[in-house]
Amino acid sequence: MNWALLAAAGVLGGLTGSIAGLASVATYPALLLVGLPPVTANVTNTVALVFNGVGSVLGSRPELAGQGAWLRRIAPVAAVGGAVGAALLLSTPAQGFERVVPILLGLASVAILLPRTTRQEARVADHQRHTVKVLLEAATIFAICIYGGYFGAAAGVLLLAMLLRTGGATLAHANAGKNVILGIANSVAALIFAIVAPVNWPAVIAVGAGCLIGSRLGPVVVRHAPAGPIRVVIGVAGLVLAINLGFDAYG
């Protein structure tokens, strides 16, 4: 039952993660449900989501055409951000992490539920006309990637919102760029966790396999269907979980 639950959570996490950055809101609770402690669940989740990045990028290849130069410039920023986030997690006492997770999960769930305006989603080139200064963009991405390396739930939502606000991309193209950036940050954090953190490798296999399947399909869904109903379901579930974890941590 645990394997089936983790694999199903991986498929859901991969699908929603590649659509709107919701993977951790689906996979992290499943790891808690099978009995992993919060820090172990978080590092295991980060390692498993490497497969989410692989599937998302493979599924986003049509939208990544023409973004190569920009992604190569921003990749080092994402990598360093992921490393800083991982180091922050490893230097945080387990009790402190248990107390901050309900807050992060609650904020992430609210971010998921907040509507995006059609004007933001409909912006199309000229990219340079609508882009903030390069340093400000890099700083914002760096901060989001730190959060992604530390916990990551809805980091994709934050990054997607930023790309839609500051760039000239359509939703599908911004989503593809988001998948690459967070995939880099997550992979760096996962490498650090794999070496020095208590990763539960059987759970990584189960969740990772599901993520690979779900994330491969996610970009296809973005091309053809709205992600709104999925965001609402996951957002509400995340809020419920955040409240429960809050009672456990502060009760």
Side-chain angles (χ1 to χ4, degrees):
M1 291 297 295
N2 285 350
W3 281 86
L5 172 64
L6 292 177
V11 173
L12 179 61
L15 180 63
T16 56
S18 60
I19 292 173
L22 315 181
S24 291
V25 182
T27 55
Y28 177 74
L31 292 165
L32 293 178
L33 285 175
V34 300
L36 296 186
V39 173
T40 301
N42 189 44
V43 298
T44 299
N45 182 62
T46 298
V47 176
L49 290 184
V50 170
F51 294 94
N52 180 74
V54 172
S56 297
V57 172
L58 289 176
S60 300
R61 283 178 296 178
E63 288 78 19
L64 288 173
Q67 298 195 57
W70 176 75
L71 289 172
R72 283 191 292 272
R73 289 196 302 270
I74 210 67
V77 175
V80 175
V84 172
L88 182 62
L89 174 68
L90 295 176
S91 62
T92 302
Q95 185 178 10
F97 179 75
E98 292 176 20
R99 287 179 175 272
V100 77
V101 160
I103 299 173
L104 294 177
L105 189 57
L107 292 175
S109 300
V110 171
I112 292 166
L113 293 171
L114 289 176
R116 292 194 298 268
T117 66
T118 54
R119 183 176 62 86
Q120 290 170 343
E121 294 188 4
R123 285 181 180 176
V124 291
D126 178 318
H127 178 73
Q128 293 183 357
R129 181 187 304 173
H130 300 289
T131 305
V132 296
K133 293 180 181 180
V134 172
L135 289 179
L136 180 59
E137 180 185 66
T140 305
I141 291 175
F142 180 65
I144 294 173
C145 288
I146 291 176
Y147 171 66
Y150 180 79
F151 182 51
V157 174
L158 300 176
L159 183 56
L160 186 60
M162 190 220 78
L163 294 175
L164 288 171
R165 287 177 184 273
T166 63
T170 63
L171 175 61
H173 285 80
N175 185 65
K178 175 266 295 179
N179 289 338
V180 174
I181 293 170
L182 287 186
I184 293 170
N186 188 80
S187 296
V188 172
L191 179 60
I192 295 173
F193 292 153
I195 297 172
V196 300
V199 176
N200 186 301
W201 291 104
V204 167
I205 295 173
V207 175
C211 280
L212 188 61
I213 297 172
S215 62
R216 182 62 180 84
L217 299 175
V220 178
V221 174
V222 171
R223 295 185 195 116
H224 302 290
I230 298 176
R231 291 207 325 272
V232 170
V233 171
I234 299 298
V236 171
L239 282 175
V240 172
L241 178 66
I243 293 171
N244 289 334
L245 291 177
F247 278 123
D248 292 339
Y250 295 96

